[in-house]
Amino acid sequence: MANSEYEYVKREFEFDRHLPASNWIVVRIDGCHFHRFSKIHAFEKPNDESALKLMNACATSMLEKFPDIVFAYGVSDEYSFVFREETEFYQRRESKILSLCVSYFTSVYVMKWKDFFPNKELREPPYFDGRVVCYPNMKTILDYLAWRQVDCHINNHYNTCFWMLVMSGKTEKEAQQTLKGTFSKDKNELLSQQFQINYDNEPAMFRKGSSVYREKVETKLKTDNYGNPIKRTRMAITVSNVDIIGPDFWERHQYILREEEKYRYEYVKKFDNIHRLPRCNWAVVRISACQYDQFSLIHSFDKPNDETALRLMNASASLMMERFPDIIFAYGFNNEYSFVFQENTELYQRHERLILSSCSSCFTSFYMMKWKEIFPYKELVQPPQFDAEVLCYPKPKIVCDYLSWRQAECHNRNQYNTCFWMLVKSGIGENEAHEILKGTLSKDKNELLFQQFQMNYNNVPAMFRKGSCTYRQKVGKIAEVEDKGVAKEQWDVAVAHMDMGPEFWRKHPYIFNSK
Ligand code: GTP
Ligand code: MG
């Protein structure tokens, strides 16, 4: 199919989970509303041999159709299919594998119905739901299968008793009451004493469920010229009703679930867990300094704000914008900085962890390199460390709301800290200062500053109150005309301390339309 201009909607938006490598993949399907389905088709109770054989025939067809299914186990209206550990069936895409399994099973069920119920019309379309579970090692996959067989035993034991009681004249309620709280031993006694039934003699298909797998069989083709039989062994799909809880079966059939040898080392790459940023989303990388209290104490930063330290943060952010052209905007205050990447950035093919780690590392490096220039008389005595996280927003409006939220946070913290340190510097203890400010509103803090310290909060430097916006702006055109007669625009990184309200975005419409 030719690529159209619309094709990107598939390439870039469709996510199909790939199941983890080196795990046994189990698809367990279960008949939907089979309680009703079995009633409508008058299945025998508690077990309808034909219905179970039909299920087994479908499972056999599954193993024929999908060679990577190494084992299947079924009981009642459910069947589990185990794909070999290293299967590359549809590149292990979960939805492909799951939908194909339920769909193929269903169509075989309908197609083979007549073979098992020649005198019964299929009166309603049967259908199945399914789930996929991955088991990473031999113990867990064997435990999974054992769990299903134990379940089979418990249900069948109960149902056998239940229907014997009902057939002997008890109502369903009475039968339920009789069986309430009984143990396995009690049920065996009930069956043998009241109905002369030895549970162990019940058909194995009912007691053990059905296992489907490939088994070596010898076939005698003909005899050779000397009268010796010519035998050939081949793998044939077998249905059996055996115990798969104990080790015996698995010891005799080690080839079914053997762990595959890995000859190629490259298979380890399949474990890479690459998470990519969703398409058409603006990514925000927020960096913040860890243990900043201690760091600012050691370097005796001014309280509540050290202008030089903030300038160092801004200088590092400006360098980030030069280093990563896809950053369209940055906002910082105190010990944090948020970097907004344009929606279609292809940085590291949108590999989230690479973006996050390189930003955090690059910012740290700029901070270190710029330290000497900005703090010429202060030695850097402790290495700073920054953590980072990535956030994704699908609309510019939401990015703006995110930035406004950070700016509100800047205001709240700065106003609080300004009051707190004014109180402390005036001789009040730190605990007492916190007590005084507890529960105060913005208005109260402005009043406190004004009345006690004759300070107008609005005259505090804008960098402290508003934080710092870092963005590109046009500074003119380079006069020389290029080949095509177009003057080249010149851009510079600006740092401003203002409200990021609607007015700001109206004045800088190009920030979100940088294409
Ligand atoms: P969902 O799976 O949730 O859609 O409901 P369900 O009605 O299929 O019930 P569930 O899968 O929990 O149980 C399977 C049901 O199928 C049993 O409760 C029985 O009613 C019915 N069933 C399965 N096998 C037989 C059978 O051999 N004979 C009869 N009479 N009923 C069966
Ligand atoms: Mg069901």
Side-chain angles (χ1 to χ4, degrees), residues 30-36 38-39 42-49 51-52 76-77 129:
D30 184 291
C32 292
H33 311 298
F34 260 49
H35 188 66
R36 175 191 150 85
S38 55
K39 235 183 211 154
F43 283 3
E44 274 176 41
K45 283 166 178 164
N47 292 292
D48 187 292
E49 202 182 319
L52 293 173
S76 178
D77 68 338
D129 62 28

PDB file of all heavy atoms in Angstrom, residues 30-36 38-39 42-49 51-52 76-77 129, ligand 1:
ATOM      1  N   ASP A  30     -12.524 -18.016  27.149  1.00  0.00           N
ATOM      2  CA  ASP A  30     -13.630 -18.493  27.974  1.00  0.00           C
ATOM      3  C   ASP A  30     -14.936 -18.178  27.264  1.00  0.00           C
ATOM      4  O   ASP A  30     -15.126 -17.069  26.761  1.00  0.00           O
ATOM      5  CB  ASP A  30     -13.574 -17.769  29.325  1.00  0.00           C
ATOM      6  CG  ASP A  30     -14.628 -18.279  30.293  1.00  0.00           C
ATOM      7  OD1 ASP A  30     -15.844 -18.032  30.061  1.00  0.00           O
ATOM      8  OD2 ASP A  30     -14.253 -18.940  31.270  1.00  0.00           O
ATOM      9  N   GLY A  31     -15.827 -19.158  27.190  1.00  0.00           N
ATOM     10  CA  GLY A  31     -17.100 -18.967  26.507  1.00  0.00           C
ATOM     11  C   GLY A  31     -17.920 -17.872  27.183  1.00  0.00           C
ATOM     12  O   GLY A  31     -18.028 -17.830  28.396  1.00  0.00           O
ATOM     13  N   CYS A  32     -18.472 -16.983  26.360  1.00  0.00           N
ATOM     14  CA  CYS A  32     -19.299 -15.914  26.923  1.00  0.00           C
ATOM     15  C   CYS A  32     -20.722 -16.420  27.119  1.00  0.00           C
ATOM     16  O   CYS A  32     -21.317 -16.980  26.195  1.00  0.00           O
ATOM     17  CB  CYS A  32     -19.325 -14.710  25.983  1.00  0.00           C
ATOM     18  SG  CYS A  32     -17.750 -13.890  25.849  1.00  0.00           S
ATOM     19  N   HIS A  33     -21.239 -16.228  28.296  1.00  0.00           N
ATOM     20  CA  HIS A  33     -22.618 -16.626  28.633  1.00  0.00           C
ATOM     21  C   HIS A  33     -22.874 -18.095  28.288  1.00  0.00           C
ATOM     22  O   HIS A  33     -23.907 -18.425  27.719  1.00  0.00           O
ATOM     23  CB  HIS A  33     -23.635 -15.740  27.907  1.00  0.00           C
ATOM     24  CG  HIS A  33     -23.336 -14.284  28.048  1.00  0.00           C
ATOM     25  ND1 HIS A  33     -23.331 -13.645  29.279  1.00  0.00           N
ATOM     26  CD2 HIS A  33     -22.991 -13.336  27.137  1.00  0.00           C
ATOM     27  CE1 HIS A  33     -23.002 -12.387  29.105  1.00  0.00           C
ATOM     28  NE2 HIS A  33     -22.784 -12.167  27.814  1.00  0.00           N
ATOM     29  N   PHE A  34     -21.928 -18.958  28.624  1.00  0.00           N
ATOM     30  CA  PHE A  34     -22.134 -20.369  28.303  1.00  0.00           C
ATOM     31  C   PHE A  34     -23.131 -21.041  29.231  1.00  0.00           C
ATOM     32  O   PHE A  34     -23.610 -22.146  28.937  1.00  0.00           O
ATOM     33  CB  PHE A  34     -20.805 -21.134  28.243  1.00  0.00           C
ATOM     34  CG  PHE A  34     -20.351 -21.316  26.824  1.00  0.00           C
ATOM     35  CD1 PHE A  34     -20.314 -20.236  25.947  1.00  0.00           C
ATOM     36  CD2 PHE A  34     -19.987 -22.575  26.338  1.00  0.00           C
ATOM     37  CE1 PHE A  34     -19.933 -20.399  24.623  1.00  0.00           C
ATOM     38  CE2 PHE A  34     -19.615 -22.751  25.007  1.00  0.00           C
ATOM     39  CZ  PHE A  34     -19.581 -21.661  24.148  1.00  0.00           C
ATOM     40  N   HIS A  35     -23.443 -20.390  30.316  1.00  0.00           N
ATOM     41  CA  HIS A  35     -24.499 -20.911  31.177  1.00  0.00           C
ATOM     42  C   HIS A  35     -25.790 -20.983  30.354  1.00  0.00           C
ATOM     43  O   HIS A  35     -26.463 -22.010  30.288  1.00  0.00           O
ATOM     44  CB  HIS A  35     -24.668 -19.981  32.386  1.00  0.00           C
ATOM     45  CG  HIS A  35     -25.588 -20.532  33.417  1.00  0.00           C
ATOM     46  ND1 HIS A  35     -25.287 -21.672  34.136  1.00  0.00           N
ATOM     47  CD2 HIS A  35     -26.812 -20.124  33.851  1.00  0.00           C
ATOM     48  CE1 HIS A  35     -26.284 -21.933  34.959  1.00  0.00           C
ATOM     49  NE2 HIS A  35     -27.222 -21.023  34.797  1.00  0.00           N
ATOM     50  N   ARG A  36     -26.051 -19.868  29.688  1.00  0.00           N
ATOM     51  CA  ARG A  36     -27.242 -19.777  28.846  1.00  0.00           C
ATOM     52  C   ARG A  36     -27.101 -20.645  27.598  1.00  0.00           C
ATOM     53  O   ARG A  36     -28.003 -21.384  27.217  1.00  0.00           O
ATOM     54  CB  ARG A  36     -27.423 -18.302  28.459  1.00  0.00           C
ATOM     55  CG  ARG A  36     -28.538 -18.024  27.504  1.00  0.00           C
ATOM     56  CD  ARG A  36     -28.434 -16.572  26.997  1.00  0.00           C
ATOM     57  NE  ARG A  36     -28.984 -16.500  25.646  1.00  0.00           N
ATOM     58  CZ  ARG A  36     -30.286 -16.340  25.404  1.00  0.00           C
ATOM     59  NH1 ARG A  36     -31.134 -16.208  26.390  1.00  0.00           N
ATOM     60  NH2 ARG A  36     -30.731 -16.323  24.154  1.00  0.00           N
ATOM     61  N   SER A  38     -25.392 -23.316  27.124  1.00  0.00           N
ATOM     62  CA  SER A  38     -25.513 -24.757  27.375  1.00  0.00           C
ATOM     63  C   SER A  38     -26.962 -25.144  27.664  1.00  0.00           C
ATOM     64  O   SER A  38     -27.392 -26.254  27.344  1.00  0.00           O
ATOM     65  CB  SER A  38     -24.608 -25.168  28.538  1.00  0.00           C
ATOM     66  OG  SER A  38     -24.890 -24.397  29.674  1.00  0.00           O
ATOM     67  N   LYS A  39     -27.701 -24.228  28.245  1.00  0.00           N
ATOM     68  CA  LYS A  39     -29.127 -24.494  28.505  1.00  0.00           C
ATOM     69  C   LYS A  39     -29.900 -24.578  27.190  1.00  0.00           C
ATOM     70  O   LYS A  39     -30.658 -25.511  26.952  1.00  0.00           O
ATOM     71  CB  LYS A  39     -29.696 -23.342  29.344  1.00  0.00           C
ATOM     72  CG  LYS A  39     -30.358 -23.827  30.613  1.00  0.00           C
ATOM     73  CD  LYS A  39     -30.975 -22.686  31.367  1.00  0.00           C
ATOM     74  CE  LYS A  39     -30.907 -23.018  32.844  1.00  0.00           C
ATOM     75  NZ  LYS A  39     -30.897 -21.844  33.687  1.00  0.00           N
ATOM     76  N   ALA A  42     -29.327 -27.642  25.457  1.00  0.00           N
ATOM     77  CA  ALA A  42     -29.598 -28.823  26.283  1.00  0.00           C
ATOM     78  C   ALA A  42     -28.366 -29.695  26.488  1.00  0.00           C
ATOM     79  O   ALA A  42     -28.399 -30.907  26.249  1.00  0.00           O
ATOM     80  CB  ALA A  42     -30.748 -29.629  25.647  1.00  0.00           C
ATOM     81  N   PHE A  43     -27.276 -29.052  26.927  1.00  0.00           N
ATOM     82  CA  PHE A  43     -26.084 -29.835  27.260  1.00  0.00           C
ATOM     83  C   PHE A  43     -26.394 -30.710  28.464  1.00  0.00           C
ATOM     84  O   PHE A  43     -27.132 -30.308  29.365  1.00  0.00           O
ATOM     85  CB  PHE A  43     -24.909 -28.910  27.621  1.00  0.00           C
ATOM     86  CG  PHE A  43     -24.239 -28.252  26.443  1.00  0.00           C
ATOM     87  CD1 PHE A  43     -24.704 -28.427  25.140  1.00  0.00           C
ATOM     88  CD2 PHE A  43     -23.109 -27.454  26.636  1.00  0.00           C
ATOM     89  CE1 PHE A  43     -24.064 -27.816  24.062  1.00  0.00           C
ATOM     90  CE2 PHE A  43     -22.475 -26.846  25.569  1.00  0.00           C
ATOM     91  CZ  PHE A  43     -22.957 -27.010  24.277  1.00  0.00           C
ATOM     92  N   GLU A  44     -25.797 -31.891  28.492  1.00  0.00           N
ATOM     93  CA  GLU A  44     -25.973 -32.757  29.656  1.00  0.00           C
ATOM     94  C   GLU A  44     -25.273 -32.161  30.864  1.00  0.00           C
ATOM     95  O   GLU A  44     -24.262 -31.489  30.732  1.00  0.00           O
ATOM     96  CB  GLU A  44     -25.384 -34.138  29.356  1.00  0.00           C
ATOM     97  CG  GLU A  44     -26.377 -35.044  28.662  1.00  0.00           C
ATOM     98  CD  GLU A  44     -25.756 -36.369  28.290  1.00  0.00           C
ATOM     99  OE1 GLU A  44     -24.989 -36.906  29.136  1.00  0.00           O
ATOM    100  OE2 GLU A  44     -26.008 -36.832  27.170  1.00  0.00           O
ATOM    101  N   LYS A  45     -25.848 -32.472  32.043  1.00  0.00           N
ATOM    102  CA  LYS A  45     -25.299 -31.923  33.272  1.00  0.00           C
ATOM    103  C   LYS A  45     -24.662 -33.001  34.105  1.00  0.00           C
ATOM    104  O   LYS A  45     -25.208 -34.090  34.179  1.00  0.00           O
ATOM    105  CB  LYS A  45     -26.418 -31.249  34.078  1.00  0.00           C
ATOM    106  CG  LYS A  45     -26.793 -29.911  33.509  1.00  0.00           C
ATOM    107  CD  LYS A  45     -28.085 -29.423  34.066  1.00  0.00           C
ATOM    108  CE  LYS A  45     -28.386 -28.047  33.495  1.00  0.00           C
ATOM    109  NZ  LYS A  45     -29.760 -27.641  33.682  1.00  0.00           N
ATOM    110  N   PRO A  46     -23.594 -32.744  34.779  1.00  0.00           N
ATOM    111  CA  PRO A  46     -22.832 -31.487  34.758  1.00  0.00           C
ATOM    112  C   PRO A  46     -21.858 -31.406  33.578  1.00  0.00           C
ATOM    113  O   PRO A  46     -21.345 -30.349  33.295  1.00  0.00           O
ATOM    114  CB  PRO A  46     -22.055 -31.551  36.068  1.00  0.00           C
ATOM    115  CG  PRO A  46     -21.862 -33.017  36.327  1.00  0.00           C
ATOM    116  CD  PRO A  46     -23.038 -33.721  35.731  1.00  0.00           C
ATOM    117  N   ASN A  47     -21.636 -32.552  32.913  1.00  0.00           N
ATOM    118  CA  ASN A  47     -20.689 -32.545  31.792  1.00  0.00           C
ATOM    119  C   ASN A  47     -21.345 -33.098  30.552  1.00  0.00           C
ATOM    120  O   ASN A  47     -21.949 -34.169  30.587  1.00  0.00           O
ATOM    121  CB  ASN A  47     -19.471 -33.427  32.122  1.00  0.00           C
ATOM    122  CG  ASN A  47     -18.628 -32.852  33.235  1.00  0.00           C
ATOM    123  OD1 ASN A  47     -17.986 -31.822  33.072  1.00  0.00           O
ATOM    124  ND2 ASN A  47     -18.658 -33.499  34.395  1.00  0.00           N
ATOM    125  N   ASP A  48     -21.194 -32.386  29.468  1.00  0.00           N
ATOM    126  CA  ASP A  48     -21.694 -32.885  28.197  1.00  0.00           C
ATOM    127  C   ASP A  48     -20.488 -33.349  27.382  1.00  0.00           C
ATOM    128  O   ASP A  48     -19.646 -32.534  26.974  1.00  0.00           O
ATOM    129  CB  ASP A  48     -22.461 -31.779  27.468  1.00  0.00           C
ATOM    130  CG  ASP A  48     -23.145 -32.307  26.226  1.00  0.00           C
ATOM    131  OD1 ASP A  48     -22.417 -32.678  25.263  1.00  0.00           O
ATOM    132  OD2 ASP A  48     -24.387 -32.367  26.213  1.00  0.00           O
ATOM    133  N   GLU A  49     -20.425 -34.681  27.189  1.00  0.00           N
ATOM    134  CA  GLU A  49     -19.243 -35.240  26.550  1.00  0.00           C
ATOM    135  C   GLU A  49     -19.008 -34.661  25.152  1.00  0.00           C
ATOM    136  O   GLU A  49     -17.876 -34.326  24.792  1.00  0.00           O
ATOM    137  CB  GLU A  49     -19.402 -36.763  26.459  1.00  0.00           C
ATOM    138  CG  GLU A  49     -18.074 -37.458  26.309  1.00  0.00           C
ATOM    139  CD  GLU A  49     -18.252 -38.971  26.164  1.00  0.00           C
ATOM    140  OE1 GLU A  49     -19.108 -39.536  26.882  1.00  0.00           O
ATOM    141  OE2 GLU A  49     -17.533 -39.548  25.334  1.00  0.00           O
ATOM    142  N   ALA A  51     -19.978 -31.773  23.969  1.00  0.00           N
ATOM    143  CA  ALA A  51     -19.566 -30.361  24.044  1.00  0.00           C
ATOM    144  C   ALA A  51     -18.071 -30.273  24.379  1.00  0.00           C
ATOM    145  O   ALA A  51     -17.338 -29.466  23.802  1.00  0.00           O
ATOM    146  CB  ALA A  51     -20.389 -29.622  25.088  1.00  0.00           C
ATOM    147  N   LEU A  52     -17.622 -31.119  25.314  1.00  0.00           N
ATOM    148  CA  LEU A  52     -16.208 -31.096  25.687  1.00  0.00           C
ATOM    149  C   LEU A  52     -15.332 -31.574  24.535  1.00  0.00           C
ATOM    150  O   LEU A  52     -14.257 -31.031  24.278  1.00  0.00           O
ATOM    151  CB  LEU A  52     -15.973 -31.943  26.931  1.00  0.00           C
ATOM    152  CG  LEU A  52     -16.611 -31.393  28.220  1.00  0.00           C
ATOM    153  CD1 LEU A  52     -16.461 -32.395  29.364  1.00  0.00           C
ATOM    154  CD2 LEU A  52     -16.006 -30.051  28.604  1.00  0.00           C
ATOM    155  N   SER A  76     -14.434 -27.342  30.890  1.00  0.00           N
ATOM    156  CA  SER A  76     -15.704 -26.611  30.761  1.00  0.00           C
ATOM    157  C   SER A  76     -15.678 -25.728  29.507  1.00  0.00           C
ATOM    158  O   SER A  76     -15.343 -26.210  28.428  1.00  0.00           O
ATOM    159  CB  SER A  76     -15.941 -25.803  32.038  1.00  0.00           C
ATOM    160  OG  SER A  76     -17.121 -25.059  31.949  1.00  0.00           O
ATOM    161  N   ASP A  77     -15.981 -24.430  29.650  1.00  0.00           N
ATOM    162  CA  ASP A  77     -16.024 -23.570  28.456  1.00  0.00           C
ATOM    163  C   ASP A  77     -14.745 -22.759  28.298  1.00  0.00           C
ATOM    164  O   ASP A  77     -14.738 -21.736  27.638  1.00  0.00           O
ATOM    165  CB  ASP A  77     -17.242 -22.636  28.508  1.00  0.00           C
ATOM    166  CG  ASP A  77     -17.136 -21.599  29.621  1.00  0.00           C
ATOM    167  OD1 ASP A  77     -16.369 -21.835  30.586  1.00  0.00           O
ATOM    168  OD2 ASP A  77     -17.817 -20.559  29.536  1.00  0.00           O
ATOM    169  N   ASP A 129     -14.455 -14.743  25.118  1.00  0.00           N
ATOM    170  CA  ASP A 129     -13.528 -13.650  25.412  1.00  0.00           C
ATOM    171  C   ASP A 129     -12.180 -14.272  25.766  1.00  0.00           C
ATOM    172  O   ASP A 129     -12.072 -15.493  25.915  1.00  0.00           O
ATOM    173  CB  ASP A 129     -14.040 -12.729  26.523  1.00  0.00           C
ATOM    174  CG  ASP A 129     -14.208 -13.444  27.851  1.00  0.00           C
ATOM    175  OD1 ASP A 129     -13.480 -14.428  28.103  1.00  0.00           O
ATOM    176  OD2 ASP A 129     -15.067 -13.024  28.649  1.00  0.00           O
TER     177      ASP A 129
HETATM  178  P1  GTP B   1     -19.129 -15.702  31.275  1.00  0.00           P
HETATM  179  O1  GTP B   1     -17.982 -16.606  30.986  1.00  0.00           O
HETATM  180  O2  GTP B   1     -18.820 -14.714  32.337  1.00  0.00           O
HETATM  181  O3  GTP B   1     -19.704 -15.067  30.047  1.00  0.00           O
HETATM  182  O4  GTP B   1     -20.320 -16.603  31.897  1.00  0.00           O
HETATM  183  P2  GTP B   1     -20.625 -18.117  31.644  1.00  0.00           P
HETATM  184  O5  GTP B   1     -22.105 -18.261  31.636  1.00  0.00           O
HETATM  185  O6  GTP B   1     -19.916 -18.645  30.452  1.00  0.00           O
HETATM  186  O7  GTP B   1     -20.069 -18.811  32.967  1.00  0.00           O
HETATM  187  P3  GTP B   1     -18.647 -19.433  33.304  1.00  0.00           P
HETATM  188  O8  GTP B   1     -17.699 -19.252  32.202  1.00  0.00           O
HETATM  189  O9  GTP B   1     -18.263 -18.961  34.669  1.00  0.00           O
HETATM  190  O10 GTP B   1     -18.967 -20.970  33.468  1.00  0.00           O
HETATM  191  C1  GTP B   1     -19.213 -21.806  32.385  1.00  0.00           C
HETATM  192  C2  GTP B   1     -20.628 -22.248  32.373  1.00  0.00           C
HETATM  193  O11 GTP B   1     -20.859 -22.974  31.183  1.00  0.00           O
HETATM  194  C3  GTP B   1     -20.966 -23.213  33.491  1.00  0.00           C
HETATM  195  O12 GTP B   1     -21.440 -22.536  34.612  1.00  0.00           O
HETATM  196  C4  GTP B   1     -22.060 -24.071  32.882  1.00  0.00           C
HETATM  197  O13 GTP B   1     -23.298 -23.437  33.095  1.00  0.00           O
HETATM  198  C5  GTP B   1     -21.759 -24.006  31.392  1.00  0.00           C
HETATM  199  N1  GTP B   1     -21.152 -25.277  30.928  1.00  0.00           N
HETATM  200  C6  GTP B   1     -19.873 -25.457  30.539  1.00  0.00           C
HETATM  201  N2  GTP B   1     -19.687 -26.756  30.189  1.00  0.00           N
HETATM  202  C7  GTP B   1     -20.844 -27.389  30.340  1.00  0.00           C
HETATM  203  C8  GTP B   1     -21.283 -28.729  30.149  1.00  0.00           C
HETATM  204  O14 GTP B   1     -20.531 -29.627  29.738  1.00  0.00           O
HETATM  205  N3  GTP B   1     -22.578 -29.018  30.437  1.00  0.00           N
HETATM  206  C9  GTP B   1     -23.420 -28.071  30.873  1.00  0.00           C
HETATM  207  N4  GTP B   1     -24.675 -28.405  31.147  1.00  0.00           N
HETATM  208  N5  GTP B   1     -23.037 -26.793  31.082  1.00  0.00           N
HETATM  209  C10 GTP B   1     -21.775 -26.457  30.810  1.00  0.00           C
END
